[in-house]
Amino acid sequence: MSTIAPENARTAASVDAVTVGTGPLTIEEVVAVARHGARVDLDPAALDAVAASRAVIDGLAADPEPHYGISTGFGALATTFIAEDRRAQLQASLVRSHAAGSGAEVEREVVRGLMLLRLSTLMTGRTGVRRVTAETYAAILNAGITPVVREYGSLGCSGDLAPLAHCALVAMGEGDVRDAAGEATDAASALAAAGIEPVRLGEKEGLALINGTDGMLGMLALAIHDLRMLLTTADVAAAMSVEGLLGTDAVFAADLHELRPQRGQAVSARNLRNLLADSPIVASHKGPECTRVQDAYSLRCAPQVHGAARDTLAHAASVAEAELASAIDNPVLTPDGRVESNGNFHGAPVGYVLDFLAIAVADVASMSERRTDRFLDKARNHGLPPFLAHEVGVDSGLMIAQYTAAGIVSELKRLAAPASVDSIPSSAMQEDHVSMGWAAARKLRRAIDGLGRVLAIEVLTAARGIALRAPLEPGPATGAVVSMAVERGAAPGPDRFVAPEIEGLVEAVVAGEVAARAAVRTDLD
């Protein structure tokens, strides 16, 4: 599964260090640490608050009355009192038993993201961990050590238990990791090489390290960052298709979109106007001799679909920002010193928007594929050769490239089926309703990968179609993308090995180069 570079990759990549504990992390800071390896620093004042909250836990640990998560078992065993001399074993046993993931390794950026977000919660002083535990997590991140986390194991409630447990296990000096060079090794060796002392967990710490929505939230933050760029790229691809298919830009006029004041729609329409400004191709068929009344929906309604996706993304970002400001643990230490059980670990808010984004991704990709298909049909492409072939009958042109896009879109429709409507009871019916938010996040990552590929195929197709309109020239913005695409192999000509051309443009799309070449705004203002 590939990863997508964010729209403001330079901003995220240029962040050298992120300070945890001064307030909620931003999406850009999560990406900087998770994807670009920014250093993690811990705010000294927040560390003092961590130490103060630990004193409360130590006081409760000395109380002969049982307190959940401190001197009791967990889940269905919450009423079982644990003697003081067995509590270290209890915490270690909790982590070891919950590190029960299976399947392929999860991507490095996802693991780093979930560790950073768990550390952010530890630094709120609401979990009762010791100062050294937070410092150890920061040290592991800064050493580039990545715990091996497996694909399956989280039901999204109580948080991402198994993925977080694999990370906590590494802090204990156990389990498997990838070192900074990506080599597989054991945790004890990696920590020793980095000069990091393994943690011996105290009361409540094992629970505090595994009871959060950090995995699904980290993947949501990465997805939001990526989709901001990809939705702008979709506007660029649509503009190229409008141009190459001799469509009209009149439907993107600002006053028409003011009649339906959807914020995202207005942004996409503005982008399309700017992208098609000063286009000789568009100008060539604006006269009275043009008998076209209106374009097909995949061209005419691009702002409405892309805009709806933008608004969905804005909603997802608001949910993510609230989660980034949260202190999720169970039990949680309140500001007035109480230790209370709660249900904030339930992943429903995150799971819902992850599923919602998968729907938007599938629809944007579906519209893109329809524009690609129009280029290849001589009955609908307004004078271009069938399949944009060089020698019709001998060459197949981009026929099968469209098959590839269609196959991906079909997959995206399956991935749009929501994970969050499912629930399988667990923990002897104590956890009788779960969010499946982790599964929603995993399928969204695959969907985003597919969207980038479908858009790349549209850019490839549109660039070839526009080139075939010569001597008519594209506008400055789209022309810059056409030139880049031609440099990467999109020029018309006899059949050749197409896959490298597609992959070259996939790289350009996911790196943000298509949006950058078009120099179109990527914000939602």
Side-chain angles (χ1 to χ4, degrees):
M1 187 182 300
S2 71
T3 57
I4 309 292
E7 59 151 351
N8 48 349
R10 292 176 185 169
T11 300
S14 64
V15 175
D16 295 325
V18 171
T19 301
V20 180
T22 57
L25 294 171
T26 65
I27 289 172
E28 289 72 24
E29 287 173 330
V30 174
V31 174
V33 174
R35 182 172 286 162
H36 301 294
R39 177 179 173 80
V40 174
D41 294 326
L42 302 181
D43 179 62
L47 280 172
D48 290 342
V50 168
S53 70
R54 182 63 197 181
V56 175
I57 299 300
D58 289 339
L60 293 173
D63 189 345
E65 291 296 317
H67 296 275
Y68 174 66
I70 300 171
S71 53
T72 71
F74 312 109
L77 304 177
T79 59
T80 303
F81 182 78
I82 307 297
E84 186 176 356
D85 62 349
R86 304 298 301 279
R87 291 176 192 167
Q89 180 184 344
L90 170 68
Q91 300 299 320
S93 295
L94 174 72
V95 171
R96 289 168 183 149
S97 65
H98 283 52
S102 182
E105 290 184 34
V106 172
E107 302 85 4
R108 181 176 185 269
E109 66 177 27
V110 172
V111 179
R112 287 181 60 82
L114 74 88
M115 285 193 72
L116 172 69
L117 292 171
R118 182 72 329 216
L119 174 60
S120 180
T121 291
L122 300 182
M123 290 293 289
T124 64
R126 305 272 66 86
T127 69
V129 299
R130 292 170 299 152
R131 177 181 181 131
V132 67
T133 304
E135 291 171 335
T136 300
Y137 263 53
I140 291 171
L141 284 165
N142 289 336
I145 297 169
T146 305
V148 172
V149 173
R150 300 293 175 180
E151 181 83 17
Y152 302 107
S154 174
L155 302 182
C157 189
S158 301
D160 294 313
L161 289 172
L164 286 163
H166 279 273
C167 297
L169 192 68
V170 169
M172 293 164 50
E174 303 176 24
D176 301 318
V177 302
R178 297 273 177 181
D179 63 18
E183 297 296 323
T185 185
D186 62 279
S189 298
L191 294 185
I196 301 170
E197 186 74 22
V199 172
R200 187 173 185 271
L201 300 178
E203 289 93 344
K204 194 186 177 296
E205 288 193 301
L207 199 58
L209 293 178
I210 67 173
N211 219 329
T213 57
D214 308 290
M216 64 183 91
L217 176 58
M219 286 185 275
L220 175 59
L222 289 162
I224 290 167
H225 219 260
D226 300 342
L227 284 171
R228 285 172 175 162
M229 178 273 296
L230 284 177
L231 291 181
T232 295
T233 303
D235 289 341
V236 174
M240 294 173 69
S241 291
V242 168
E243 210 170 21
L245 290 167
L246 302 183
T248 177
D249 63 348
V251 294
F252 308 133
D255 61 345
L256 296 178
H257 293 275
E258 288 168 1
L259 297 174
R260 190 191 200 187
Q262 297 286 355
R263 184 170 179 237
Q265 178 178 323
V267 172
S268 286
R270 182 196 66 203
N271 283 348
L272 284 160
R273 289 195 302 274
N274 292 341
L275 286 159
L276 293 170
D278 303 318
S279 167
I281 294 180
V282 172
S284 72
H285 56 93
K286 277 190 172 181
E289 70 280 359
C290 181
T291 59
R292 300 267 299 278
V293 177
Q294 55 189 13
D295 294 323
Y297 287 6
S298 60
L299 303 175
R300 193 189 343 156
C301 302
Q304 286 77 8
V305 172
H306 297 182
R310 286 180 180 274
D311 290 337
T312 301
L313 183 60
H315 170 60
S318 72
V319 172
E321 287 160 4
E323 287 290 301
L324 289 169
S326 302
I328 295 176
D329 193 16
N330 182 49
V332 68
L333 181 63
T334 65
D336 61 1
R338 300 178 348 263
V339 177
E340 298 284 359
S341 293
N342 67 94
N344 285 337
F345 49 73
H346 199 290
V350 182
Y352 289 172
V353 294
L354 288 162
D355 282 334
F356 199 0
L357 286 175
I359 292 170
V361 164
D363 204 35
V364 171
S366 179
M367 181 173 257
S368 171
E369 183 276 329
R370 289 292 79 202
R371 292 190 295 262
T372 293
D373 183 67
R374 295 189 74 82
F375 269 107
L376 307 183
D377 183 357
K378 68 176 183 179
R380 294 179 292 149
N381 66 16
H382 302 285
L384 294 172
F387 304 106
L388 306 186
H390 178 70
E391 186 177 350
V392 177
V394 174
D395 293 322
S396 295
L398 296 178
M399 178 193 296
I400 308 304
Q402 183 269 331
Y403 285 29
T404 299
I408 294 170
V409 168
S410 183
E411 166 95 353
L412 296 187
K413 292 174 182 177
R414 293 189 293 272
L415 292 170
S420 56
V421 298
D422 187 30
S423 177
I424 297 179
S426 57
S427 192
M429 290 297 288
Q430 177 73 2
E431 299 171 9
D432 58 352
H433 184 275
V434 296
S435 77
M436 296 299 179
W438 173 273
R442 297 305 297 161
K443 69 185 183 65
L444 178 59
R445 282 180 67 80
R446 185 169 180 83
I448 289 172
D449 177 76
L451 174 59
R453 296 177 186 281
V454 171
L455 292 175
I457 291 171
E458 183 183 1
V459 170
L460 168 69
T461 305
R464 184 182 289 199
I466 289 171
L468 287 168
R469 296 289 182 192
L472 289 174
E473 294 289 334
T478 54
V481 180
V482 170
S483 297
M484 180 271 296
V486 168
E487 291 167 6
R488 291 174 178 261
D495 281 356
R496 61 259 187 191
F497 186 17
V498 180
E501 294 180 20
I502 294 173
E503 291 308 304
L505 282 170
V506 170
E507 291 175 4
V509 166
V510 302
E513 186 176 351
V514 169
R517 288 291 186 103
V520 66
R521 289 177 61 183
T522 57
D523 56 64
L524 293 176
D525 296 329

